[in-house]
Amino acid sequence: MSTDTLIADRIEIADLFTRFARLLDEGSWEDAGTVYTDDVAVHSPRGGELRGLDEVVGFMRRGEIEGQRSQHMTTDLLVNVDGDQATASANSLVYYYRDGQAPHFTGGLRMTSTVVRTSAGWRFREVRITPAWTREN
């Protein structure tokens, strides 16, 4: 694999994490197929093990709280590309707030994932979310 291809893949995977955070912050569940494969598996303490795009989207929709918004900040991204598959991990800070108010809840988590190259670009095939800490503000 050429250095240019590797750099391009790493940039696209970093963008994938950003698109995922924006999807969560904006609640644009109809765009979930732009970040997940159809057969995605998501493991988290809140949702347990979710399999398939429809199940993941359904869980996200049920988790919405009227008037509550979130802001996800992704940091410390590590990516290891191996052909059409990669492992990637990142830390995330998540702030929950209501419009015009300071956050009422904050959390830090680690996200580890397997991402795959598809005909539409890189997508998450498996995601593991591990909370590190929470704070009620």
Side-chain angles (χ1 to χ4, degrees), residues 16-86:
L16 176 64
F17 275 79
T18 301
R19 288 196 328 270
F20 175 65
R22 291 278 175 93
L23 179 141
L24 295 173
D25 291 344
E26 296 168 0
S28 52
W29 315 131
E30 66 279 359
D31 295 332
T34 67
V35 297
Y36 292 125
T37 60
D38 288 339
D39 63 345
V40 65
V42 176
H43 312 272
S44 76
R46 282 186 45 215
E49 185 174 320
L50 305 168
R51 293 212 169 263
L53 188 58
D54 290 339
E55 189 173 343
V56 171
V57 170
F59 174 77
M60 290 189 294
R61 285 184 193 280
R62 290 188 302 276
E64 287 183 303
I65 298 172
E66 188 171 337
Q68 180 172 273
R69 302 188 46 123
S70 65
Q71 183 178 29
H72 290 71
M73 296 184 190
T74 305
T75 67
D76 305 326
L77 180 63
L78 291 174
V79 177
N80 183 19
V81 178
D82 185 12
D84 289 340
Q85 183 169 300

Side-chain angles (χ1 to χ4, degrees), residues 96-104:
Y96 295 93
Y97 66 97
R98 297 188 183 283
D99 283 336
Q101 298 179 14
H104 59 273

Side-chain angles (χ1 to χ4, degrees), residues 103-107 133-137:
H104 59 273
F105 189 80
T106 308
W133 57 270
T134 59
R135 179 179 72 197
E136 289 192 42
N137 302 331

